[in-house]
Amino acid sequence: MKLSEIKNELRRLSKIAFKLPNGELVPNHFHVTEVGKITKHFIDCGGTERNETVVNFQLWNANDYDHRLHPEKLLNIIELSEKTLNIADLEIEVEYQAETIGKFGLDFDGTNFVLTTKQTDCLAKDQCGIPAEKPKLQFSDIQTGNSCAPGSGCC
């Protein structure tokens, strides 16, 4: 989800809820403790220089049950961050505390913002000798027209 998309959704919502990948909701007394611009400048294992920039939201489960973050407040925080940090319309990455800080993508299901799982990957598979993944087939996808049927006498 891009920054412009969350802003559009916040303008029409009366409350904010974030859902974890396992379907549980982040407790509704969470705080957004950071909105920032994260730039990652790195070299992949194939020697290619790369730059990635995302907008980062950090969610924190506070024991502050008396204050709830409302859509207009988060929208104000985002707009201030855009001006102060010169943030473009970038993809959003969300940090949330699990066993350690977890990084998630962000989506919207029509009601809740959904934290989506992210995976590591090799960006230079062609230079590392990593074989391409073979397609996985289901037995139900295999054609049975020319195969032997039990009791047909062909085996």
Side-chain angles (χ1 to χ4, degrees), residues 134-149:
K134 294 179 182 178
K136 295 178 182 175
L137 298 175
Q138 299 289 331
F139 283 118
S140 60
D141 295 338
I142 298 173
Q143 298 280 334
T144 58
N146 294 329
S147 64
C148 290

Side-chain angles (χ1 to χ4, degrees), residues 13-15 18 59 75 91 104 126 152:
L13 291 174
S14 60
K15 65 178 184 165
F18 285 89
L59 302 184
L75 189 55
E91 286 292 321
F104 300 89
D126 58 332
S152 68

Side-chain angles (χ1 to χ4, degrees), residues 32-129:
V32 174
T33 58
E34 296 177 11
V35 174
K37 178 170 60 172
I38 304 291
T39 302
K40 183 177 173 184
H41 183 199
F42 63 101
I43 295 177
D44 68 24
C45 60
T48 302
E49 181 180 14
R50 297 180 185 265
N51 286 289
E52 293 178 358
T53 305
V54 297
V55 175
N56 184 53
F57 288 10
Q58 185 179 81
L59 302 184
W60 181 53
N61 180 6
N63 290 325
D64 178 7
Y65 298 96
D66 298 325
H67 298 95
R68 303 285 191 268
L69 182 63
H70 296 283
E72 61 277 1
K73 175 72 173 175
L74 181 53
L75 189 55
N76 288 338
I77 294 168
I78 291 169
E79 289 172 347
L80 177 61
S81 299
E82 285 177 303
K83 291 176 196 166
T84 304
L85 303 174
N86 194 27
I87 296 176
D89 189 23
L90 300 168
E91 286 292 321
I92 298 170
E93 180 178 86
V94 178
E95 293 178 348
Y96 183 69
Q97 187 69 43
E99 292 83 34
T100 186
I101 297 173
K103 287 185 177 185
F104 300 89
L106 188 64
D107 204 351
F108 188 70
D109 67 7
T111 304
N112 302 307
F113 292 103
V114 180
L115 303 183
T116 59
T117 57
K118 295 181 81 162
Q119 303 292 317
T120 60
D121 194 9
C122 176
L123 301 176
K125 290 181 187 85
D126 58 332
Q127 296 183 29
C128 290

